[in-house]
Amino acid sequence: MGDSVRKGERLLVGEGMAVWAADKPGGLILEFADEAVCEAAFRIQQLLERHAVPTGFVERLGSRILLARRLELLPVEVVIEAAPGQVDVAFRAGGRTLDRAEAESLLTPDRLERIEDLAAHAARSLRAHLSLRGIAHLRARLRFGLTEDGACLLQVVNPLECELGSTDMRQVAELLGG
């Protein structure tokens, strides 16, 4: 992992990854269980960065490790589905789908609009890239958080929580890498 950033306390275990505090102020270490999943996550972040989607991604530290900004998590996540000519956005909290009024009760209307816009932009960017590789439909679970100064960012996307044309993460990484 290098000498510059070290793991602290394990904060949570998610699908195919663990999240650790980092000794770098404001940092988190995302350690993936598999190199191919980390590669796919890294390539998603690169693609989103090229399309000016603001994320919490900082840098890649190793074959299974990414460094991300620590964000204050928002209580609403977004599930996006993108197909030719359409992007559908659904809001979720606590494992259930929310209607817009419920989502606005958990966030301000402006903040909800911001994450909806960011999610749709991310979906269009990913789908445009994947459509060139024969993938017409994608689905992704996106989470958002706030920086200390209040900026809203997309968290690092876990490719295991997405449908990106294949369940083989090596193939997903290849689809995202071109």
Side-chain angles (χ1 to χ4, degrees):
M1 177 178 4
D3 296 326
S4 61
V5 182
R6 297 187 194 283
K7 280 192 240 179
E9 172 188 3
R10 185 172 72 182
L11 302 174
L12 68 97
V13 176
E15 188 172 348
M17 67 180 235
V19 178
W20 304 81
D23 67 350
K24 179 178 180 173
L28 292 174
I29 293 172
L30 310 178
E31 183 175 25
F32 292 87
D34 182 276
E35 288 180 18
V37 176
C38 185
E39 182 66 23
F42 176 65
R43 290 186 182 191
I44 290 169
Q45 300 317 302
Q46 288 181 311
L47 191 144
L48 294 174
E49 184 177 294
R50 285 193 308 270
H51 288 270
V53 177
T55 74
F57 174 73
V58 176
E59 67 180 302
R60 187 171 190 171
L61 298 177
S63 63
R64 295 186 310 116
I65 299 172
L66 302 180
L67 179 64
R69 289 180 70 170
R70 185 183 289 254
L71 303 173
E72 177 189 334
L73 303 179
L74 294 178
V76 175
E77 64 184 29
V78 177
V79 176
I80 55 168
E81 293 200 38
Q86 76 177 61
V87 174
D88 295 321
V89 177
F91 304 108
R92 294 182 50 90
R96 67 182 192 85
T97 301
L98 307 174
D99 64 27
R100 187 167 202 87
E102 290 175 302
E104 285 180 352
S105 74
L106 296 172
L107 300 172
T108 65
D110 288 346
R111 176 94 7 98
L112 187 66
E113 185 176 332
R114 173 73 174 151
I115 68 171
E116 184 176 29
D117 288 348
L118 284 173
H121 182 50
R124 283 192 285 286
S125 299
L126 286 167
R127 205 201 78 69
H129 182 84
L130 291 171
S131 70
L132 297 173
R133 285 141 186 90
I135 308 301
H137 180 267
L138 72 89
R139 186 174 200 273
R141 184 171 154 188
L142 306 177
R143 293 180 182 86
F144 296 85
L146 302 176
T147 63
E148 287 182 8
D149 62 358
C152 184
L153 303 178
L154 174 62
Q155 288 186 298
V156 171
V157 177
N158 183 346
L160 293 174
E161 297 178 338
C162 303
E163 295 171 14
L164 300 167
S166 176
T167 56
D168 178 340
M169 287 297 121
R170 282 179 176 64
Q171 185 177 19
V172 169
E174 288 174 22
L175 290 168
L176 293 165

